[in-house]
Amino acid sequence: MRKIAVFCGSSSGQSEMYTKAAQKLGNEFASRDIKLIYGGGAVGIMGAVANAVLEGKGTVTGVMPKMLEEREIAHPELTELVIVDSMHERKSTMAELADGFLILPGGAGTMEEFFEVFTWAQLGLHAKPIGILNIDGYYEPLLNMLDHMVRESFLHESFLSMLLIGSDSGRLVDTMMTYEAPSIQRYVNDNSIDYDDM
């Protein structure tokens, strides 16, 4: 796994620790020769992780819709900038380019990206690792909500094993490198049916 898509905010957030964690992740990518695939912006923790990779002589591919490029928010020093027509095409392009996904703190857009790749994994559309970098407990409310979905039988518990969660970027990347996707099953009431049998 040498290409990881990072989904995160175009804001720096309230705490400096978000930026520092993003920079540390970028350093990890550069030192391990992992290519960063991301949204192409120059601001927020999105920009921080890209800058750290570039400063470490690493490779960064940004994927950005034309409407955002025209607002002059594209990072000017990327290894490669891929311009697409829509936000939907941006997500699908990033997913195609990446060997795995890593979620840093972000807002609604980051959540949309996370839930889409998580849903695709549940449907068996990909078997790529999905890491959540839980900086200072930022994602505890989300993890609690996922547990609530399981308790209320809207999400099968086994699907949670698709998510790799950690607060240290180095160890989380290590876990992603050795990830093996669980067998994908469709659950109907208390019975499980292998997709391969359908």
Side-chain angles (χ1 to χ4, degrees):
M1 185 179 64
R2 287 296 170 209
K3 297 174 290 182
I4 297 179
V6 171
F7 300 132
C8 61
S10 58
S11 169
S12 297
Q14 289 284 349
S15 172
E16 191 176 315
M17 69 179 62
Y18 299 131
T19 297
K20 289 182 177 179
Q23 291 168 338
K24 182 182 176 185
L25 178 66
N27 293 336
E28 289 283 350
F29 278 26
S31 66
R32 297 171 186 240
D33 195 26
I34 296 173
K35 181 177 182 178
L36 170 65
I37 311 293
Y38 87 122
V43 296
I45 61 172
M46 178 188 290
V49 67
N51 287 336
V53 176
L54 293 168
E55 288 166 9
K57 309 303 181 185
T59 303
V60 181
T61 293
V63 182
M64 180 172 283
K66 186 172 180 60
M67 65 175 183
L68 294 182
E69 183 202 20
E70 292 170 347
R71 297 179 188 175
E72 299 183 352
I73 63 172
H75 196 299
E77 298 176 3
L78 301 181
T79 311
E80 178 186 25
L81 180 63
V82 178
I83 301 301
V84 296
D85 291 330
S86 66
M87 295 293 285
H88 178 76
E89 188 179 356
R90 177 198 226 177
K91 289 182 294 181
S92 62
T93 299
M94 290 176 70
E96 289 170 8
L97 292 174
D99 300 320
F101 309 96
L102 214 167
I103 318 301
L104 273 64
T110 302
M111 290 295 88
E112 180 202 14
E113 291 161 335
F114 160 67
F115 275 110
E116 186 149 34
V117 296
F118 183 33
T119 301
W120 289 347
Q122 293 175 49
L123 294 173
L125 299 179
H126 73 79
K128 302 174 183 181
I130 303 170
I132 297 177
L133 189 57
N134 191 20
I135 302 167
D136 196 35
Y138 180 82
Y139 277 119
E140 290 304 316
L142 172 64
L143 300 177
N144 290 336
M145 185 66 209
L146 292 172
D147 286 338
H148 181 63
M149 292 176 183
V150 170
R151 289 193 300 271
E152 296 299 319
S153 299
F154 287 103
L155 177 68
H156 199 279
E157 186 174 9
S158 69
F159 290 146
L160 294 183
S161 66
M162 295 174 173
L163 303 178
L164 308 176
I165 302 156
S167 58
D168 180 87
S169 56
R171 287 196 289 267
L172 183 55
V173 170
D174 285 340
T175 304
M176 293 178 69
M177 290 290 186
T178 59
Y179 174 77
E180 292 185 13
S183 60
I184 305 301
Q185 297 180 316
R186 179 179 179 182
Y187 293 88
V188 181
N189 298 324
D190 293 330
N191 300 316
S192 61
I193 304 171
D194 287 334
Y195 278 125
D196 291 342
D197 293 337
M198 296 181 69

